[in-house]
Amino acid sequence: MPADTPTLSPAALARCIPFFVFMALLALRGYLPADGGLDGRWIYGAQTLIVGSLLAWYWRSYGELVRQNLPDARETGWAVVVGIAVFAIWVQLDAPWMQLGSATASFVPLDANGQLIWPLIVLRLAGAALVVPVMEELFWRSFLMRWVQHPGFERVNPQTVGARAVVLSTFVFTLAHTLWLAAVVAGLAYALLYRRNGKLWSAVIAHAVTNGLLGLWVIWTGRWEFW
């Protein structure tokens, strides 16, 4: 391999691999033929288990998530408030001009009679509220935002990250979501929360609150397009 060939460090791979595996399985769900005999909705269960297992495998590589870096009561309170605020804003930002195309893998947990399929719902909610916040914050904020600031991202104090890194990482984060304006709000909120106190757990908690509330709201209202 040439000496100037760019490579990712083990720390970067630990943050990227779970994310890219999740996205690959998401794409697989989206492109499965409707009459192929395989219910693509159950692949989300596989996503949750596989990505959760990858996070557990790499857990020792996530120094920012060690117990000593847990937020205190005040920081946790702010994270919860931010998560609630993002949820409240997210469900309002669904006008057609606020959307980038349509979701490639819709998730409607109803049977042929229109009844809720609770095992599917539990898997979807667990993935959205427990696995995805950890996976995404490790990739988007811990890795990408700090990497934009400096390729040696592990040495970058999140409290020193500049506006360029916040904006560029949020822009890429937005491209991964159908509701682009809602994603801008969420991405900036989580990034600035992380930047403010330097603790990734704050962004993870806020993200988990947003996703958990969104999931409960979707189940209550039947607005499956938000899932």
Side-chain angles (χ1 to χ4, degrees):
M1 180 182 293
D4 58 351
T5 300
T7 58
L8 290 176
S9 68
L13 289 173
R15 290 157 178 78
C16 293
I17 289 175
F19 175 80
F20 286 118
V21 168
F22 182 90
M23 296 302 290
L25 290 171
L26 181 66
L28 176 62
R29 284 201 300 127
Y31 291 105
L32 279 177
D35 56 353
L38 176 63
D39 189 341
R41 294 174 299 182
W42 288 103
I43 293 179
Y44 194 90
Q47 280 179 292
T48 299
L49 295 174
I50 293 171
V51 175
S53 297
L54 285 170
L55 292 173
W57 176 264
Y58 287 119
W59 195 258
R60 291 186 179 181
S61 300
Y62 307 141
E64 60 270 65
L65 295 181
V66 297
R67 185 167 52 187
Q68 292 88 333
N69 288 331
L70 286 170
D72 59 28
R74 181 174 179 275
E75 292 165 340
T76 300
W78 272 111
V80 171
V81 169
V82 168
I84 293 171
V86 171
F87 157 71
I89 294 170
W90 187 286
V91 296
Q92 301 299 321
L93 301 180
D94 63 336
W97 67 272
M98 301 175 186
Q99 301 180 35
L100 289 173
S102 57
T104 58
S106 59
F107 191 91
V108 182
L110 302 176
D111 62 20
N113 298 317
Q115 299 299 308
L116 296 173
I117 305 174
W118 281 105
L120 275 176
I121 289 174
V122 170
L123 284 171
R124 181 70 169 89
L125 194 56
L130 299 177
V131 174
V132 167
V134 176
M135 173 201 72
E136 289 204 348
E137 293 309 315
L138 282 166
F139 177 75
W140 296 115
R141 256 63 69 175
S142 174
F143 168 66
L144 186 62
M145 186 176 78
R146 292 193 296 165
W147 182 84
V148 172
Q149 183 71 22
H150 189 281
F153 75 97
E154 290 179 274
R155 301 189 297 274
V156 175
N157 182 338
Q159 293 179 298
T160 66
V161 169
R164 174 177 171 271
V166 171
V167 170
L168 287 179
S169 60
T170 300
F171 172 73
V172 183
F173 173 78
T174 299
L175 297 179
H177 294 79
T178 303
L179 298 176
W180 69 266
L181 186 55
V184 168
V185 172
L188 288 176
Y190 305 149
L192 294 176
L193 191 61
Y194 180 36
R195 187 182 185 279
R196 183 186 184 199
N197 62 25
K199 295 180 179 178
L200 189 67
W201 272 117
S202 293
V204 171
I205 291 169
H207 200 152
V209 169
T210 299
N211 284 11
L213 290 176
L214 181 63
L216 294 174
W217 180 82
V218 166
I219 296 166
W220 179 262
T221 62
R223 297 287 302 276
W224 307 113
E225 70 271 19
F226 280 88
W227 256 8

